[in-house]
């Protein structure tokens, strides 16, 4: 017999086949297992679809900006005998973290000089040679604004400079030895014209000291100290504040009139050709020029005529933007020249022509493979066609001779005068008061570029 619970009552099943019951139970378990497996599979697929759908809607992660490459500090630069040389207006850094005080402790605490370091922690010594008279300005930017950076500025004396410092016989002219949180408030410490004090001590949270007057040729040593253990590096920039001309230089495609980038070098001739700009991708930037200084500008780009120009800075006085046209090297390009001068009825060039022609000498000098034609012109009423043709040719020859005398290859220059038809057209234009001002025209005949 078999007992079963049904609605809280015991029910007696009188006769039942146990074998059939057992088989029935097994079948039920198999069916229920299959149903459960199907449900789990469906649920898993549904979840997978939702996850896929959810992921497809997620935004792609934004790539992090690469960190700037740190500049390695030279060995032993934590001693003043091995300083790092700084260039005016050129940032040095970000450096690796300074480490240690070096072999010699040049800066030592002195009760008579409370603005000195208590001792050196993690130092770097820098040297700066003054290129021209003005006010010394310094900006030191810690990589980690929470680092406690200090600095002192010394004027170099003689070969015993280091020994004098150790004995505190040579003292700094300016410096910041301030509270630890100063840089975190300002982002930098340094020296500028707007500050008031020459020294900042621990009692102050001021981050800049007043710039000092310096003279061309003087040398100054700057010791930068990071008080923070296991701190980060820094970037330092030194310059001379002086009344200057600061125009924006822009280089423009001669045909499209759109700004373009060039490989630009500008040398300061008054400071032994110091490079104030050296940028292979210069496009548009403000450049500082010192009054009454002489400069050389050299701009180049593949497929274009280079610009080579010597000039005095005073020509930039009052300019806010200076534009330079970059001319593409193309066969058939014409360059009319009107600002050259001949005596009436003569073919000999007058000295007043030199400025205009030397500009073209500079243009072609850096492209010796380029060939060009010099075509001469005259203003005429057409009374002596043969004479006008001869005069136009002789004027072209005079210009060619000028170019050759100034270093351009003779083999790359051909000459031509006006034809009879051109003489008649020029005479007709004269009668209509519609004459051309061009006295010579340069025409590119071969670019010399590999096709």
């Amino acid at each position: 017999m078999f007992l079963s619970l049904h609605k809280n009552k015991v029910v007696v099943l009188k006769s039942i086949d146990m074998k059939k019951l057992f088989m029935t139970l097994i079948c039920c378990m198999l069916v229920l297992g299959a149903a459960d497996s199907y449900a789990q599979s469906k649920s898993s697929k549904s979840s997978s679809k939702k996850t896929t759908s959810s992921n497809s809607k997620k935004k792609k992660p934004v790539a992090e900006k690469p960190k700037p490459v740190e500049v390695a500090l030279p060995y032993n630069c934590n001693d003043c005998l091995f300083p790092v040389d700084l260039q005016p207006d050129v940032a040095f850094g970000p450096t690796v973290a300074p480490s240690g005080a070096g072999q010699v402790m040049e800066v030592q605490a002195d009760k008579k000089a409370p603005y000195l370091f208590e001792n050196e922690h993690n130092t770097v010594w820098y040297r700066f040679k003054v290129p021209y008279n003005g006010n010394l300005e310094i900006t030191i930017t810690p990589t980690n604004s929470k680092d406690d950076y200090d600095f002192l500025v010394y004027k170099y004396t003689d070969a015993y400079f280091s020994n004098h410092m150790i004995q505190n016989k040579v003292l700094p002219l300016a410096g910041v030895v301030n509270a630890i949180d100063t840089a975190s408030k300002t982002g930098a410490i340094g020296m500028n014209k707007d500050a008031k004090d020459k020294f900042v001590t621990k009692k102050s949270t001021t981050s800049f000291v007043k710039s000092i007057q310096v003279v061309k040729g003087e040398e100054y040593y700057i010791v930068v100290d990071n008080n923070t253990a296991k701190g980060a590096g820094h970037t330092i920039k030194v310059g001379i504040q002086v009344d200057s001309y600061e125009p924006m230089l822009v280089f423009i495609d001669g045909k499209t009139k759109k700004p373009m980038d060039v490989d630009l070098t500008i040398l300061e001739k008054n400071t032994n050709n110091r490079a104030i700009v050296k940028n292979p991708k210069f496009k548009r930037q403000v450049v500082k020029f010192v009054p009454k200084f002489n400069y050389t500008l050299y701009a180049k780009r593949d497929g274009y005529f280079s610009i080579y120009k010597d000039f005095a800075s005073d020509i930039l006085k009052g300019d806010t933007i200076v534009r330079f046209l970059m001319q593409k090297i193309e066969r058939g390009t014409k360059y009319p020249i009107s600002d050259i001068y001949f005596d009436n009825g003569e073919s000999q060039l007058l000295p007043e022509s030199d400025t205009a022609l030397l500009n073209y000498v500079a243009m072609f000098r850096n492209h010796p493979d380029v060939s060009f034609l010099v075509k001469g012109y005259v203003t005429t009423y057409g009374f002596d066609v043969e004479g006008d043709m001869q005069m136009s040719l002789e004027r072209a020859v005079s210009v060619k001779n000028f170019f050759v005398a100034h270093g351009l290859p003779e083999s790359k220059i051909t000459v031509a005068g006006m034809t009879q038809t051109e003489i008649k057209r020029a005479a007709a234009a004269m009668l209509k008061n519609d004459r051309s001002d061009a006295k010579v025209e340069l025409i590119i005949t071969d670019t010399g570029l590999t096709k």
Side-chain angles (χ1 to χ4, degrees):
M1 299 184 67
F2 190 77
L3 301 178
S4 175
L5 291 175
H6 182 66
K7 293 184 180 180
N8 299 324
K9 293 181 181 181
V10 178
V11 178
V12 180
L13 302 177
K14 293 182 178 179
S15 62
I16 188 167
D17 190 332
M18 293 299 292
K19 188 176 180 180
K20 287 183 178 181
L21 176 62
F22 180 73
M23 293 300 294
T24 302
L25 288 173
I26 290 176
C27 289
C28 289
M29 290 175 66
L30 291 173
V31 171
L32 289 173
D36 183 56
S37 176
Y38 174 75
Q40 287 183 2
S41 175
K42 189 172 183 181
S43 173
S44 175
K45 289 181 180 178
S46 175
S47 174
S48 176
K49 286 182 179 179
K50 288 181 180 179
T51 303
T52 304
S53 176
S54 175
N55 288 340
S56 65
K57 292 180 180 178
K58 287 183 179 179
K59 293 182 178 179
K60 292 182 179 180
V62 179
E64 293 184 3
K65 292 183 179 180
K67 294 182 179 179
V69 178
E70 292 182 330
V71 178
L73 292 169
Y75 177 69
N76 276 349
C77 67
N78 40 17
D79 284 321
C80 79
L81 291 175
F82 306 97
V84 179
D85 286 312
L86 297 176
Q87 298 299 319
D89 303 316
V90 179
F92 180 82
T95 70
V96 299
S99 178
Q103 302 298 319
V104 181
M105 187 75 71
E106 291 94 348
V107 182
Q108 301 184 41
D110 190 334
K111 292 182 179 179
K112 296 180 181 179
Y115 41 78
L116 291 172
F117 301 157
E118 293 177 357
N119 58 277
E120 296 181 37
H121 303 86
N122 302 289
T123 54
V124 181
W125 284 86
Y126 294 100
R127 177 171 56 195
F128 177 71
K129 188 171 183 178
V130 179
Y132 42 80
N133 300 351
N135 292 310
L136 181 64
E137 293 193 334
I138 302 170
T139 302
I140 301 164
T141 307
T143 302
N144 185 343
S145 60
K146 293 182 180 180
D147 283 4
D148 179 18
Y149 267 94
D150 300 325
F151 78 93
L152 296 170
V153 179
Y154 292 84
K155 182 179 179 181
Y156 179 77
T157 53
D158 51 33
Y160 300 99
F161 174 65
S162 177
N163 292 338
H164 292 330
M165 275 198 303
I166 294 172
Q167 301 169 19
N168 284 340
K169 292 182 178 180
V170 174
L171 294 174
L173 303 177
V176 171
V177 184
N178 56 11
I180 192 169
D181 62 345
T182 301
S184 63
K185 292 180 179 179
T186 63
I189 59 175
M191 174 186 291
N192 63 31
K193 65 177 182 178
D194 297 323
K196 297 179 180 180
D197 302 317
K198 288 187 176 181
F199 291 95
V200 172
T201 62
K202 292 286 186 183
K203 297 179 181 179
S204 174
T205 56
T206 303
S207 55
F208 277 77
V209 292
K210 189 173 182 62
S211 59
I212 57 177
Q213 287 188 338
V214 293
V215 176
K216 178 182 177 181
E218 292 179 339
E219 287 187 15
Y220 288 85
Y221 280 63
I222 306 160
V223 56
V224 177
D225 187 26
N226 189 353
N227 291 271
T228 305
K230 297 181 180 180
H234 59 275
T235 300
I236 181 170
K237 186 176 181 179
V238 179
I240 303 298
Q241 192 279 323
V242 64
D243 290 336
S244 58
Y245 311 130
E246 299 187 21
M248 177 177 286
L249 305 189
V250 183
F251 291 84
I252 298 173
D253 186 295
K255 183 174 290 187
T256 66
K257 308 304 180 186
K258 293 181 178 179
M260 59 185 290
D261 59 86
V262 298
D263 184 349
L264 178 65
T265 299
I266 301 179
L267 304 177
E268 197 172 60
K269 299 175 75 173
N270 295 61
T271 54
N272 296 322
N273 290 326
R274 177 176 74 91
I276 65 168
V277 175
K278 198 168 183 63
N279 186 346
K281 292 291 182 181
F282 186 101
K283 189 172 184 179
R284 186 198 304 263
Q285 185 178 317
V286 172
V287 179
K288 182 172 78 174
F289 297 94
V290 179
K292 298 181 180 178
F293 267 39
N294 296 310
Y295 295 86
T296 295
L297 180 149
Y298 182 37
K300 61 181 180 178
R301 177 167 171 153
D302 290 344
Y304 288 79
F305 281 107
S306 301
I307 296 177
Y308 186 88
K309 186 176 182 63
D310 289 320
F311 63 96
S313 59
D314 286 2
I315 68 170
L316 304 172
K317 188 175 183 179
D319 288 330
T320 55
I321 300 178
V322 179
R323 297 177 176 85
F324 295 90
L325 286 179
M326 297 292 292
Q327 302 289 355
K328 201 163 189 177
I329 303 175
E330 293 180 318
R331 187 192 300 269
T333 302
K334 298 180 180 181
Y335 299 96
I337 307 177
S338 58
D339 46 354
I340 60 173
Y341 305 95
F342 304 92
D343 276 334
N344 288 333
E346 299 291 335
S347 60
Q348 189 66 33
L349 283 166
L350 296 177
E352 291 84 353
S353 308
D354 290 6
T355 300
L357 293 178
L358 286 173
N359 286 332
Y360 288 97
V361 170
M363 185 174 87
F364 284 104
R365 179 182 290 153
N366 296 298
H367 304 275
D369 293 332
V370 174
S371 301
F372 63 96
L373 168 72
V374 181
K375 187 173 178 65
Y377 291 91
V378 294
T379 53
T380 178
Y381 286 103
F383 297 134
D384 183 3
V385 174
E386 294 294 330
D388 289 340
M389 292 171 62
Q390 183 62 30
M391 180 59 64
S392 64
L393 178 61
E394 290 176 1
R395 288 185 172 182
V397 171
S398 292
V399 172
K400 175 182 177 178
N401 291 340
F402 182 95
F403 286 151
V404 173
H406 286 83
L408 297 187
E410 183 175 5
S411 61
K412 298 294 181 178
I413 308 172
T414 53
V415 294
M418 299 172 72
T419 64
Q420 287 186 354
T421 301
E422 288 171 333
I423 295 290
K424 292 177 181 179
R425 288 175 182 171
M430 281 286 288
L431 293 173
K432 297 178 181 179
N433 199 25
D434 188 26
R435 68 180 188 182
S436 171
D437 291 328
K439 298 169 184 174
V440 164
E441 193 171 51
L442 310 182
I443 305 170
I444 305 299
T445 55
D446 188 355
T447 64
L449 301 176
T450 303
K451 295 182 180 180

